[in-house]
Amino acid sequence: MTRTSAPVDAPATGDWEGLVTTALLGTNRRTPPGTGPGPEAPVALLDAAAVETVRRRAGLRPARAAERPQPAPEDPRPPLPQAAARRLAILLADRPGASGGGRRGTTPDLTELLPQWLAAASAHGFAPPPQLLPALLDAARGRTDLRPAALEFAGPRALWLARLNPDWRFALRSTPGGGAALPHLEDDDSIRQLWQEGLFAERVALLSALRSRDPAAARELLATTWSTERAEDRLMFLDSLRTGLGPDDEPFLEQALADRSRNVRATAAELLSALPGSALAARMAVRAEACVAIDHMQPTQPTQAAGATPASIGTGVTQATESTMATPTITVEAPHECDPGMERDGVVAKAPAGRGERSWWFGQLVEAAPLGTWSRRLGGRTPREIVALPVTDDWQGELHAAWCRAAVRQRDAEWSRALLGEPSAPEAGGPGAVSLAERAKLLGTLGAADRAEWVAGFIATHGLSEAFQLLGVCAVPWAPPLGRAVVDALNIARDAGSYPWSFSGVMGLAERCLDPSEAGRLDALLAVPDEPENASPGAGGYWAEAFQRLVTTLRLRAAMTEELNTS
C-alpha cells in the first residue's frame, strides 16, 4: 500500500498551541481548521491567530493593581540657567567617537568636556533639568569615569529614577546607602538603630558622614560592634578613619593590630604610621635607625715632596687635607629576619617574586618610620642634605624609594621637595624619585602653585616626553607659568617637524586643562608651518588643525563658564 503526503486538517480546537504547530510545520503540510490546501491557507492561519490573540487577551483576569511609587523627592538646588541647560543637552547628545592619537579636525571633543562641565555645575550648586536626567544616567552608565561627577550633579531625583529602571541600578551601587536618607547626625537613637539594623551600604554612608562631622563619635560607634563585624566589613569601616585621622584614633588602631584579618592589621599599621607621634611609628623608627648609619671615610695621609720648604709644606698639608677630608656616606645593614613584633606592626614577611627578603623588610621599615627620625639619626642634616649623601653598596635606590613612600604617606612637603630635586637637574629622575609615578605622587604633597612651578621647570628642561603623568597631578586650570611652558614646548616640537601624533595626548590634556584666557596667545600658531626636510609628511597640517582645535575648545570652555555664571 502506497502512502501519500497529502495535507491533513489540524484539530478543530482552535487552541494557541495548535496554531503554533501549524505555523512551524507549514500550511502545505498542515492546514488551519476548516481550510483546505491552497493559497488561502496562510491567510486563514493568520486570521485564526488574530482571533485567538483577541480571545486570549479578553480572557485574562485582571491583576491586583501595583502600589504607586512615591513621588520623586524635591531637589532644593536652583535650576540651571537656560543657556547652561541647552549646553548640557548638547553635551549629552554627543557620542564618544574616535579620539586620542591621530584625532583630526578642528571640532572640540565634547565627551571630554562633559566631566569638567558637571564638576563646575555642581560647584555652582545647580540642579539638572528633570527631562535630562535619563540622558545623564545613560551617559554615566556608559562611562564609569563619569559616574561620580554625574551622580553628584544629578542629585536625589536620579536615585529615585534608578530604582524604577534596572539599567540604572549602578547609581544605587555607586552611592553610599543607595540614596537612603540618613538620620540627623544629632539624633543618637536613630543613628544607633541604623548602625545596628541598616544595610551595609547604609552603615558605610552613616559612618562616613559621622566621621566627617564628629571623628570621635564615629570611632566610638564603630567600636560598639567591631568584634562582631565580618572581616571584609571591618576593613571597609577601618578605611573610613582616614578622614580626620588624628592621635585620638591611636588606641583603637593599636587594638586593630591584633585583628584576625591580615588586611585589617595592615591597614591599621598604615594608618598608625601616618601618625608620626604614634607608638607604632616610634617602634618602626627604632628598627629603621638600626639599619641606617653615617660612615666617615678615613682620609689618606699627605706625603711631603722632596725639597719642599717649611712654608710650602704647611700650604701643601692644608691643601691636601682639604682635598682628602672625610666624605660622609650612608651605610645600610638590612634586617636579617622578620620577627613577630615586626609582623604585628604591619611588616609583610613574604617578599614578592623577584625581591630579596632583606631589602623588602628594610623598605617597609623605612617607609613606616617618621621622617623626622633621619635628621636626628644623620647628624642634624636637612632633608635636602640627607638625600644628597652617597649610599654604599647599591642601597640608594631602595632607601630613596622608601623615603618617597614615607613622604607621600606622611604628606611631608619638605621631604618631597628634597626627593624631587631641582626640575632643571640634568637627571630627569632627580636625586630620589625612581619613576614618573613616584614623582607624580611626591608632587601631590605640594601646594597647587608649587606643583605647577616645578612641572613648568621640568618641561622647560626636559620637554614633554616625560611630563604627561606629571601634568595629570596639576590643578585645573593650569597656572600661567605651566600653561606657557606646555604651549612653548608644543611650539618647539612643531617648529622642529617632530612627529605630531606623539604629542596628541598632551594636546588633548591641554584642551581640558589650559586656562581659557590663553586662547588669544595661540592665534599665531594656527597657520600651517613650513615643514623642515626631515619632518613627517603632513605634519604641518596636523599641527595647524591641532592648535585650531585647542583654541576652539578653550573658547568653548570660556563660554560654558560664562553660561554657568549667568543668573
Short mmCIF file of all heavy atoms in Angstrom, two decimals, residues 87-88 91 109-124 143 145-146 149-150 152-153 474-478 508-516 553-561 564:
data_model
loop_
_atom_site.label_atom_id
_atom_site.label_comp_id
_atom_site.label_asym_id
_atom_site.label_seq_id
_atom_site.Cartn_x
_atom_site.Cartn_y
_atom_site.Cartn_z
N ARG A 87 23.31 73.86 26.87
CA ARG A 87 24.67 73.33 26.69
C ARG A 87 24.73 71.89 27.20
O ARG A 87 25.35 71.03 26.55
CB ARG A 87 25.67 74.20 27.45
CG ARG A 87 27.11 73.70 27.36
CD ARG A 87 27.68 73.91 25.97
NE ARG A 87 27.73 75.33 25.66
CZ ARG A 87 28.02 75.81 24.46
NH1 ARG A 87 28.25 74.98 23.46
NH2 ARG A 87 28.04 77.13 24.23
N LEU A 88 24.12 71.60 28.34
CA LEU A 88 24.13 70.23 28.86
C LEU A 88 23.46 69.28 27.88
O LEU A 88 23.94 68.16 27.66
CB LEU A 88 23.43 70.19 30.22
CG LEU A 88 23.26 68.80 30.84
CD1 LEU A 88 24.62 68.13 31.05
CD2 LEU A 88 22.50 68.89 32.16
N LEU A 91 25.92 68.51 25.17
CA LEU A 91 27.00 67.64 25.64
C LEU A 91 26.52 66.20 25.79
O LEU A 91 27.25 65.25 25.47
CB LEU A 91 27.55 68.15 26.97
CG LEU A 91 28.27 69.50 26.95
CD1 LEU A 91 28.63 69.93 28.37
CD2 LEU A 91 29.52 69.44 26.08
N ASP A 109 36.19 68.00 21.26
CA ASP A 109 35.68 66.70 21.71
C ASP A 109 34.77 66.95 22.93
O ASP A 109 35.24 67.11 24.05
CB ASP A 109 36.85 65.79 22.09
CG ASP A 109 36.40 64.37 22.39
OD1 ASP A 109 35.18 64.15 22.47
OD2 ASP A 109 37.27 63.50 22.55
N LEU A 110 33.47 66.98 22.67
CA LEU A 110 32.53 67.33 23.74
C LEU A 110 32.50 66.29 24.85
O LEU A 110 32.24 66.61 26.01
CB LEU A 110 31.12 67.52 23.15
CG LEU A 110 30.97 68.62 22.10
CD1 LEU A 110 29.51 68.76 21.68
CD2 LEU A 110 31.52 69.95 22.61
N THR A 111 32.73 65.03 24.51
CA THR A 111 32.69 63.99 25.54
C THR A 111 33.77 64.21 26.59
O THR A 111 33.59 63.83 27.75
CB THR A 111 32.86 62.60 24.91
OG1 THR A 111 34.13 62.53 24.25
CG2 THR A 111 31.76 62.31 23.92
N GLU A 112 34.88 64.84 26.21
CA GLU A 112 35.94 65.11 27.17
C GLU A 112 35.65 66.34 28.01
O GLU A 112 36.26 66.53 29.06
CB GLU A 112 37.27 65.27 26.43
CG GLU A 112 37.79 64.00 25.79
CD GLU A 112 38.03 62.89 26.80
OE1 GLU A 112 38.46 63.20 27.92
OE2 GLU A 112 37.78 61.72 26.47
N LEU A 113 34.74 67.18 27.56
CA LEU A 113 34.40 68.38 28.32
C LEU A 113 33.26 68.14 29.31
O LEU A 113 33.06 68.94 30.22
CB LEU A 113 33.99 69.51 27.36
CG LEU A 113 35.08 70.00 26.40
CD1 LEU A 113 34.55 71.14 25.54
CD2 LEU A 113 36.32 70.46 27.17
N LEU A 114 32.51 67.05 29.12
CA LEU A 114 31.36 66.80 29.99
C LEU A 114 31.74 66.66 31.46
O LEU A 114 31.08 67.25 32.32
CB LEU A 114 30.60 65.57 29.49
CG LEU A 114 29.34 65.18 30.27
CD1 LEU A 114 28.35 66.34 30.32
CD2 LEU A 114 28.69 63.94 29.64
N PRO A 115 32.79 65.88 31.82
CA PRO A 115 33.14 65.79 33.26
C PRO A 115 33.46 67.14 33.87
O PRO A 115 33.05 67.43 35.00
CB PRO A 115 34.36 64.86 33.26
CG PRO A 115 34.26 64.08 32.00
CD PRO A 115 33.64 65.00 31.00
N GLN A 116 34.17 67.99 33.12
CA GLN A 116 34.52 69.31 33.64
C GLN A 116 33.27 70.18 33.81
O GLN A 116 33.14 70.90 34.79
CB GLN A 116 35.51 69.97 32.68
CG GLN A 116 36.18 71.21 33.23
CD GLN A 116 37.26 71.72 32.29
OE1 GLN A 116 37.09 72.74 31.64
NE2 GLN A 116 38.37 71.00 32.20
N TRP A 117 32.35 70.08 32.85
CA TRP A 117 31.11 70.85 32.95
C TRP A 117 30.31 70.40 34.17
O TRP A 117 29.78 71.24 34.92
CB TRP A 117 30.29 70.68 31.68
CG TRP A 117 29.09 71.58 31.63
CD1 TRP A 117 28.98 72.79 31.01
CD2 TRP A 117 27.82 71.35 32.27
NE1 TRP A 117 27.73 73.33 31.22
CE2 TRP A 117 27.00 72.47 31.99
CE3 TRP A 117 27.30 70.33 33.04
CZ2 TRP A 117 25.69 72.56 32.45
CZ3 TRP A 117 25.99 70.42 33.52
CH2 TRP A 117 25.21 71.53 33.22
N LEU A 118 30.21 69.10 34.40
CA LEU A 118 29.44 68.59 35.53
C LEU A 118 30.04 69.05 36.86
O LEU A 118 29.31 69.45 37.78
CB LEU A 118 29.40 67.06 35.49
CG LEU A 118 28.59 66.44 34.35
CD1 LEU A 118 28.82 64.94 34.29
CD2 LEU A 118 27.10 66.73 34.53
N ALA A 119 31.36 69.01 36.96
CA ALA A 119 32.00 69.46 38.19
C ALA A 119 31.74 70.95 38.44
O ALA A 119 31.47 71.37 39.57
CB ALA A 119 33.51 69.18 38.14
N ALA A 120 31.79 71.75 37.37
CA ALA A 120 31.55 73.19 37.52
C ALA A 120 30.10 73.46 37.91
O ALA A 120 29.83 74.31 38.76
CB ALA A 120 31.90 73.91 36.22
N ALA A 121 29.16 72.72 37.30
CA ALA A 121 27.74 72.92 37.63
C ALA A 121 27.47 72.54 39.09
O ALA A 121 26.71 73.22 39.78
CB ALA A 121 26.87 72.11 36.68
N SER A 122 28.08 71.46 39.56
CA SER A 122 27.91 71.06 40.96
C SER A 122 28.51 72.10 41.90
O SER A 122 27.95 72.40 42.96
CB SER A 122 28.54 69.69 41.21
OG SER A 122 27.86 68.68 40.49
N ALA A 123 29.66 72.66 41.51
CA ALA A 123 30.30 73.69 42.35
C ALA A 123 29.43 74.93 42.46
O ALA A 123 29.43 75.60 43.50
CB ALA A 123 31.67 74.05 41.77
N HIS A 124 28.66 75.22 41.41
CA HIS A 124 27.73 76.36 41.46
C HIS A 124 26.46 76.02 42.23
O HIS A 124 25.67 76.93 42.54
CB HIS A 124 27.36 76.80 40.04
CG HIS A 124 28.41 77.64 39.38
ND1 HIS A 124 29.55 77.09 38.83
CD2 HIS A 124 28.49 78.98 39.17
CE1 HIS A 124 30.29 78.07 38.30
NE2 HIS A 124 29.68 79.22 38.49
N ARG A 143 29.97 55.27 30.97
CA ARG A 143 31.32 55.72 31.32
C ARG A 143 31.49 55.71 32.83
O ARG A 143 30.95 56.56 33.54
CB ARG A 143 31.57 57.14 30.79
CG ARG A 143 31.70 57.24 29.30
CD ARG A 143 31.93 58.69 28.88
NE ARG A 143 33.11 59.27 29.49
CZ ARG A 143 33.50 60.54 29.30
NH1 ARG A 143 32.79 61.33 28.51
NH2 ARG A 143 34.59 61.00 29.89
N ASP A 145 34.09 56.44 34.49
CA ASP A 145 34.84 57.60 34.97
C ASP A 145 33.95 58.81 35.16
O ASP A 145 34.31 59.75 35.87
CB ASP A 145 35.96 57.93 33.98
CG ASP A 145 35.40 58.39 32.63
OD1 ASP A 145 34.61 57.62 32.04
OD2 ASP A 145 35.76 59.48 32.17
N LEU A 146 32.77 58.79 34.54
CA LEU A 146 31.86 59.93 34.61
C LEU A 146 30.93 59.84 35.82
O LEU A 146 30.30 60.83 36.20
CB LEU A 146 31.04 59.98 33.32
CG LEU A 146 30.26 61.25 32.99
CD1 LEU A 146 31.20 62.41 32.77
CD2 LEU A 146 29.39 61.02 31.75
N ALA A 149 30.96 62.41 39.17
CA ALA A 149 30.52 63.78 38.88
C ALA A 149 29.07 63.80 38.42
O ALA A 149 28.30 64.69 38.79
CB ALA A 149 31.43 64.41 37.82
N ALA A 150 28.66 62.82 37.61
CA ALA A 150 27.29 62.78 37.09
C ALA A 150 26.28 62.57 38.21
O ALA A 150 25.24 63.24 38.26
CB ALA A 150 27.15 61.69 36.03
N GLU A 152 26.70 63.16 41.46
CA GLU A 152 26.67 64.31 42.37
C GLU A 152 25.79 65.41 41.81
O GLU A 152 24.99 66.01 42.53
CB GLU A 152 28.09 64.82 42.60
CG GLU A 152 28.15 66.02 43.54
CD GLU A 152 29.54 66.60 43.68
OE1 GLU A 152 30.46 66.07 43.05
OE2 GLU A 152 29.69 67.59 44.41
N PHE A 153 25.93 65.68 40.51
CA PHE A 153 25.13 66.72 39.89
C PHE A 153 23.67 66.29 39.75
O PHE A 153 22.75 67.08 39.93
CB PHE A 153 25.71 67.07 38.53
CG PHE A 153 24.88 68.05 37.74
CD1 PHE A 153 24.67 69.34 38.20
CD2 PHE A 153 24.30 67.67 36.54
CE1 PHE A 153 23.89 70.25 37.49
CE2 PHE A 153 23.52 68.57 35.81
CZ PHE A 153 23.32 69.85 36.29
N CYS A 474 48.51 68.26 38.29
CA CYS A 474 48.46 69.72 38.45
C CYS A 474 47.01 70.20 38.46
O CYS A 474 46.15 69.64 37.77
CB CYS A 474 49.23 70.42 37.33
SG CYS A 474 51.01 70.08 37.40
N ALA A 475 46.75 71.24 39.25
CA ALA A 475 45.39 71.77 39.39
C ALA A 475 44.92 72.36 38.06
O ALA A 475 45.71 72.88 37.27
CB ALA A 475 45.35 72.83 40.49
N VAL A 476 43.60 72.25 37.84
CA VAL A 476 42.97 72.77 36.62
C VAL A 476 42.14 74.00 36.98
O VAL A 476 41.39 73.97 37.96
CB VAL A 476 42.08 71.67 35.99
CG1 VAL A 476 41.37 72.20 34.74
CG2 VAL A 476 42.92 70.44 35.65
N PRO A 477 42.21 75.09 36.20
CA PRO A 477 43.08 75.27 35.03
C PRO A 477 44.53 75.45 35.44
O PRO A 477 44.83 75.89 36.54
CB PRO A 477 42.52 76.52 34.36
CG PRO A 477 41.92 77.30 35.48
CD PRO A 477 41.36 76.28 36.44
N TRP A 478 45.44 75.09 34.52
CA TRP A 478 46.85 75.22 34.80
C TRP A 478 47.22 76.67 35.11
O TRP A 478 46.69 77.61 34.50
CB TRP A 478 47.67 74.76 33.61
CG TRP A 478 47.64 73.27 33.40
CD1 TRP A 478 47.40 72.32 34.34
CD2 TRP A 478 47.88 72.57 32.17
NE1 TRP A 478 47.46 71.06 33.78
CE2 TRP A 478 47.75 71.19 32.45
CE3 TRP A 478 48.19 72.97 30.88
CZ2 TRP A 478 47.92 70.22 31.46
CZ3 TRP A 478 48.36 72.02 29.91
CH2 TRP A 478 48.23 70.65 30.19
N GLY A 508 45.56 66.85 23.93
CA GLY A 508 44.24 66.60 24.50
C GLY A 508 44.14 67.06 25.94
O GLY A 508 43.11 67.58 26.37
N LEU A 509 45.21 66.87 26.70
CA LEU A 509 45.23 67.33 28.09
C LEU A 509 45.17 68.85 28.15
O LEU A 509 44.48 69.43 29.00
CB LEU A 509 46.49 66.82 28.78
CG LEU A 509 46.51 66.76 30.30
CD1 LEU A 509 45.37 65.89 30.82
CD2 LEU A 509 47.84 66.24 30.80
N ALA A 510 45.87 69.52 27.23
CA ALA A 510 45.85 70.97 27.19
C ALA A 510 44.46 71.50 26.88
O ALA A 510 44.03 72.53 27.41
CB ALA A 510 46.85 71.48 26.15
N GLU A 511 43.71 70.79 26.02
CA GLU A 511 42.35 71.22 25.70
C GLU A 511 41.47 71.26 26.95
O GLU A 511 40.61 72.12 27.09
CB GLU A 511 41.74 70.27 24.67
CG GLU A 511 42.37 70.35 23.29
CD GLU A 511 41.86 69.28 22.36
OE1 GLU A 511 40.81 68.67 22.67
OE2 GLU A 511 42.49 69.04 21.32
N ARG A 512 41.71 70.35 27.88
CA ARG A 512 40.89 70.29 29.10
C ARG A 512 41.45 71.13 30.24
O ARG A 512 40.69 71.52 31.14
CB ARG A 512 40.76 68.84 29.55
CG ARG A 512 40.13 67.93 28.54
CD ARG A 512 39.83 66.55 29.12
NE ARG A 512 41.03 65.83 29.51
CZ ARG A 512 41.76 65.08 28.70
NH1 ARG A 512 41.45 65.00 27.42
NH2 ARG A 512 42.82 64.44 29.14
N CYS A 513 42.76 71.38 30.25
CA CYS A 513 43.40 71.95 31.45
C CYS A 513 43.99 73.34 31.26
O CYS A 513 44.20 74.04 32.26
CB CYS A 513 44.50 71.01 31.94
SG CYS A 513 43.93 69.33 32.32
N LEU A 514 44.29 73.73 30.04
CA LEU A 514 44.87 75.06 29.82
C LEU A 514 43.84 76.13 30.17
O LEU A 514 42.65 75.97 29.92
CB LEU A 514 45.29 75.19 28.36
CG LEU A 514 46.26 76.32 28.00
CD1 LEU A 514 47.58 76.13 28.72
CD2 LEU A 514 46.48 76.35 26.49
N ASP A 515 44.29 77.21 30.77
CA ASP A 515 43.38 78.29 31.13
C ASP A 515 42.78 78.89 29.85
O ASP A 515 43.52 79.22 28.92
CB ASP A 515 44.15 79.38 31.89
CG ASP A 515 43.22 80.37 32.58
OD1 ASP A 515 42.29 80.86 31.91
OD2 ASP A 515 43.42 80.64 33.77
N PRO A 516 41.45 79.01 29.77
CA PRO A 516 40.84 79.55 28.54
C PRO A 516 41.35 80.93 28.16
O PRO A 516 41.30 81.30 26.98
CB PRO A 516 39.34 79.59 28.90
CG PRO A 516 39.17 78.51 29.92
CD PRO A 516 40.44 78.53 30.72
N THR A 553 38.41 74.83 21.48
CA THR A 553 38.00 74.21 22.74
C THR A 553 38.13 75.18 23.90
O THR A 553 37.25 75.25 24.78
CB THR A 553 38.83 72.94 23.01
OG1 THR A 553 38.69 72.04 21.91
CG2 THR A 553 38.37 72.26 24.28
N LEU A 554 39.20 75.94 23.94
CA LEU A 554 39.39 76.91 25.03
C LEU A 554 38.28 77.96 25.01
O LEU A 554 37.76 78.34 26.08
CB LEU A 554 40.75 77.57 24.91
CG LEU A 554 41.98 76.68 25.14
CD1 LEU A 554 43.26 77.46 24.96
CD2 LEU A 554 41.94 76.04 26.53
N ARG A 555 37.91 78.42 23.83
CA ARG A 555 36.84 79.43 23.76
C ARG A 555 35.50 78.82 24.10
O ARG A 555 34.65 79.50 24.69
CB ARG A 555 36.85 80.04 22.35
CG ARG A 555 38.06 80.96 22.17
CD ARG A 555 38.20 81.52 20.78
NE ARG A 555 39.32 82.47 20.75
CZ ARG A 555 39.99 82.79 19.66
NH1 ARG A 555 39.66 82.26 18.48
NH2 ARG A 555 41.00 83.66 19.72
N LEU A 556 35.31 77.55 23.78
CA LEU A 556 34.07 76.88 24.18
C LEU A 556 34.02 76.74 25.69
O LEU A 556 32.96 76.96 26.32
CB LEU A 556 34.00 75.51 23.51
CG LEU A 556 32.81 74.62 23.92
CD1 LEU A 556 31.48 75.32 23.62
CD2 LEU A 556 32.88 73.27 23.19
N ARG A 557 35.14 76.39 26.32
CA ARG A 557 35.17 76.28 27.78
C ARG A 557 34.88 77.62 28.44
O ARG A 557 34.20 77.70 29.47
CB ARG A 557 36.52 75.74 28.25
CG ARG A 557 36.71 74.25 27.98
CD ARG A 557 38.12 73.80 28.34
NE ARG A 557 38.49 74.24 29.68
CZ ARG A 557 39.75 74.48 30.06
NH1 ARG A 557 40.74 74.34 29.20
NH2 ARG A 557 40.00 74.86 31.28
N ALA A 558 35.40 78.70 27.85
CA ALA A 558 35.11 80.04 28.38
C ALA A 558 33.62 80.34 28.28
O ALA A 558 33.02 80.91 29.22
CB ALA A 558 35.93 81.08 27.63
N ALA A 559 32.99 79.96 27.16
CA ALA A 559 31.55 80.18 27.00
C ALA A 559 30.76 79.36 28.00
O ALA A 559 29.76 79.83 28.57
CB ALA A 559 31.13 79.83 25.57
N MET A 560 31.17 78.12 28.25
CA MET A 560 30.49 77.28 29.22
C MET A 560 30.54 77.89 30.62
O MET A 560 29.55 77.88 31.36
CB MET A 560 31.12 75.88 29.21
CG MET A 560 30.80 75.08 27.96
SD MET A 560 31.89 73.63 27.71
CE MET A 560 31.94 72.89 29.32
N THR A 561 31.70 78.42 30.98
CA THR A 561 31.84 79.05 32.30
C THR A 561 30.94 80.28 32.40
O THR A 561 30.28 80.50 33.44
CB THR A 561 33.31 79.45 32.53
OG1 THR A 561 34.13 78.29 32.46
CG2 THR A 561 33.48 80.12 33.88
N LEU A 564 27.29 79.31 32.99
CA LEU A 564 27.01 78.89 34.36
C LEU A 564 26.99 80.08 35.32
O LEU A 564 26.34 80.02 36.37
CB LEU A 564 28.04 77.86 34.83
CG LEU A 564 27.92 76.47 34.20
CD1 LEU A 564 29.14 75.63 34.54
CD2 LEU A 564 26.65 75.77 34.69
#
